Amino acid sequence: MSRVASTQIFTYAARKGPYLSTVGAFLFLCLAEGMVIVFLILHFVPGALLQTLLLTVAALFVALMFGRLLLPLGTSHRVSATSLELRYGLDFHASLPRAQILSARPVQERLGPIPRLYYDTQQRYLTLAFSNNNQVLLRLQSPRLFHFGLRGTCSTDQLLINVDQRAAFLAMLDLPEIVDPATMSAPAHAHSVTVVQSGGKQDEMLDQQLVSLAPRTPLVAGTEVDAPLAIRTVDLTRHYADFVALEKLNLTIRRGEIYGFLGPNGAGKSTAIKMLVGLLQPTSGHAWLAGHDVWREPLLAKGALGYVADRALLYDRLTGREFLTFLAQLRGLPREQSTARINELLTMLDLIEQADRLCATYSFGMKRKLSLAGALLHQPSVLILDEPLNGLDPLSARRLKDLFLHLAGMGTTIFLSTHDLAVAETLCHRVSIIQHGRLLAEGSAAQLRELASAPDLESVFLALTAQEEATV
């Protein structure tokens, strides 16, 4: 895209009037109380020199306080052909090369009543915004160290600002991406095979792009390769001190796709899943479920999610039916709707005869099926399963695999972590292989077999993980 050569300054004055009125009212109250303080000093403090000193200190304190309150009114941002210069009063000034700006999108974040410059540790952005209106969230290519206030510093790749002419500001930046990347379609080659090989301290992307799936080829009935993205991660990373559990995981998974997540024990699968479902905060990177940021929009993301952990978490003193009723109440489902849905799931998962027994009496396989029923209760659009077939008899496993295919055909995205490579090969549309926290390969089972010249997915898995072990 072409860059605009001129320079333009963008300010924010839309809320200055009400803000000045508030500050003025506060000033009037302070002056009224200040007169009382002056009276007390003049009548009870001995000595003219001490009186003058105290009055001077009080006047300086008031001037400093109101000066700080008025600082945000000096906010302005300058956009030139090569840089974006951000200024928030006298407390913050930074110049960013435009090439370092990844995206700029309109948002509406809720701020406090008094504007202040701070780093939001939960949302992970530096707040340069003056109010809740006309906000723009800037995202950088990589985190950068910023200094603000008297001693404030933070390292972040996101900044929240206000501009009056938001549309003109976004047009002036002329970025190729001005929306949340979770809502964008993946490139046409998203289903080609990608293989990553570790070499010492650096990851080298092998030039191995096999035959891509034809455009608009259905993944499953009713789902096409240009369907909306259901799961997306960007550089998802988790460190524990010096140990790297997961490093820069990038995934794009579409609606209606069954995606296999494979790896040996300790490869980082559980860590990735915990970050996807919101149980573990990443060290860096981002994740989206159904277009919602897992950490910035947790309620919306979890509302679209059904999750089955590797261990069933049930209440032993509730019956199976009572447990599902309890989950339905937590989800806020109407009673009539939830009752019908519970009976449907209990029948579907062959638990109807055991529905009124205590969960403590359930076998391991029955607990797994009841956990799955709880995950399906609210008909989620994204289903994340950690070893869902573990402990099931062959007939129950067969029924669940048929159920997964049916759900995918109806548009549910299934993220499946499993050690059963035969199941992954026959059930999943695409699989990825992870080891030591790094993605080794991704593609359909047929593409991976062709890549490794192997007869089955198990041989591919063993060959790639053995090669990775040899390089560590």
Side-chain angles (χ1 to χ4, degrees):
M1 295 185 180
S2 62
R3 296 286 186 188
V4 180
S6 60
T7 298
Q8 188 170 345
I9 296 177
F10 293 89
T11 60
Y12 184 73
R15 301 292 297 173
K16 286 185 178 179
Y19 181 67
L20 284 173
S21 299
T22 302
V23 172
F26 186 53
L27 176 61
F28 175 79
L29 293 175
C30 288
L31 289 177
E33 293 184 1
M35 296 298 294
V36 175
I37 294 175
V38 169
F39 174 81
L40 293 175
I41 290 176
L42 292 178
H43 283 76
F44 294 99
V45 175
L49 181 61
L50 184 57
Q51 291 177 350
T52 302
L53 179 61
L54 291 176
L55 291 174
T56 301
V57 170
L60 288 175
F61 174 77
V62 172
L64 179 62
M65 180 179 63
F66 283 97
R68 299 292 299 176
L69 290 175
L70 296 176
L71 277 180
L73 300 180
T75 298
S76 65
H77 311 300
R78 181 190 300 268
V79 182
S80 67
T82 59
S83 66
L84 169 62
E85 186 177 340
L86 301 174
R87 186 181 295 276
Y88 185 89
L90 299 178
D91 280 339
F92 181 87
H93 177 245
S95 182
L96 306 174
R98 287 178 57 170
Q100 293 297 315
I101 304 175
L102 177 64
S103 66
R105 63 185 181 92
V107 295
Q108 187 169 359
E109 301 291 341
R110 184 177 297 276
L111 304 178
I114 302 297
R116 62 190 181 95
L117 181 60
Y118 68 100
Y119 176 69
D120 191 312
T121 56
Q122 182 66 30
Q123 305 294 351
R124 293 180 294 172
Y125 55 62
L126 180 61
T127 302
L128 309 175
F130 184 76
S131 81
N132 300 328
N133 302 317
N134 283 1
Q135 295 175 347
V136 174
L137 183 65
L138 300 172
R139 181 167 294 159
L140 309 181
Q141 296 279 3
S142 59
R144 174 172 173 167
L145 184 64
F146 293 99
H147 300 273
F148 59 92
L150 297 177
R151 296 183 179 179
T153 60
C154 71
S155 178
T156 183
D157 60 351
Q158 297 186 106
L159 302 101
L160 185 68
I161 66 173
N162 286 126
V163 288
D164 281 323
Q165 299 174 312
R166 185 165 61 179
F169 177 78
L170 294 174
M172 184 75 176
L173 286 180
D174 193 26
L175 292 172
E177 179 184 18
I178 61 172
V179 296
D180 194 317
T183 63
M184 298 183 64
S185 296
H189 60 275
H191 295 288
S192 58
V193 176
T194 302
V195 177
V196 182
Q197 187 178 38
S198 294
K201 295 182 179 180
Q202 297 181 344
D203 288 330
E204 181 180 356
M205 183 69 69
L206 300 181
D207 190 13
Q208 299 275 8
Q209 294 293 332
L210 299 186
V211 179
S212 300
L213 298 177
R216 302 184 66 83
T217 300
L219 293 174
V220 290
T223 302
E224 300 177 344
V225 297
D226 60 352
L229 295 181
I231 300 175
R232 180 180 173 93
T233 67
V234 175
D235 291 340
L236 198 62
T237 301
R238 177 67 190 191
H239 294 174
Y240 294 96
D242 295 332
F243 175 69
V244 181
L246 193 71
E247 184 171 9
K248 294 186 177 180
L249 179 65
N250 293 285
L251 300 175
T252 54
I253 305 172
R254 296 184 179 279
R255 179 180 61 84
E257 187 175 2
I258 302 178
Y259 187 90
F261 198 50
L262 313 179
N265 291 330
K269 301 190 304 299
S270 295
T271 298
I273 289 175
K274 288 178 181 178
M275 288 192 286
L276 279 177
V277 302
L279 294 177
L280 181 65
Q281 190 161 3
T283 304
S284 62
H286 304 275
W288 293 266
L289 296 179
H292 303 294
D293 190 297
V294 173
W295 290 98
R296 294 189 58 207
E297 303 170 293
L299 294 181
L300 293 174
K302 292 174 182 177
L305 170 68
Y307 171 51
V308 177
D310 56 346
R311 296 182 181 179
L313 302 176
L314 308 177
Y315 290 96
D316 288 344
R317 296 190 178 183
L318 295 180
T319 67
R321 190 185 304 275
E322 289 171 341
F323 174 71
L324 294 180
T325 302
F326 171 66
L327 293 184
Q329 293 173 347
L330 290 180
R331 291 281 183 181
L333 300 179
R335 175 173 294 184
E336 293 184 1
Q337 174 186 335
S338 62
T339 300
R341 179 66 174 163
I342 288 170
N343 288 330
E344 176 187 355
L345 290 170
L346 290 172
T347 302
M348 181 189 305
L349 297 172
D350 197 24
L351 290 173
I352 193 67
E353 295 182 1
Q354 296 83 21
D356 297 314
R357 287 171 46 188
L358 294 177
C359 293
T361 66
Y362 281 17
S363 66
F364 182 82
M366 292 167 60
K367 290 181 178 180
R368 298 292 291 168
K369 289 192 286 186
L370 187 62
S371 296
L372 179 60
L376 294 172
L377 192 60
H378 59 296
Q379 297 178 302
S381 60
V382 176
L383 195 59
I384 295 181
L385 310 175
D386 196 351
E387 297 290 348
L389 304 180
N390 188 22
L392 298 184
D393 60 83
L395 179 59
S396 297
R398 176 71 265 178
R399 289 177 177 175
L400 282 192
K401 287 186 280 187
D402 291 340
L403 173 61
F404 296 157
L405 290 171
H406 171 73
L407 291 172
M410 299 299 292
T412 302
T413 301
I414 300 177
F415 185 89
L416 178 66
S417 174
T418 180
H419 286 115
D420 193 330
L421 300 179
V423 168
E425 185 164 14
T426 58
L427 192 64
C428 299
H429 304 104
R430 284 191 302 146
V431 298
S432 61
I433 299 175
I434 186 175
Q435 189 173 23
H436 299 307
R438 297 179 179 179
L439 190 65
L440 301 182
E442 181 185 55
S444 69
Q447 291 169 331
L448 292 179
R449 289 196 306 267
E450 182 181 351
L451 172 68
S453 300
D456 51 39
L457 186 58
E458 181 180 12
S459 301
V460 176
F461 179 87
L462 294 175
L464 286 175
T465 54
Q467 181 180 7
E468 172 70 6
E469 286 290 348
T471 60
V472 175

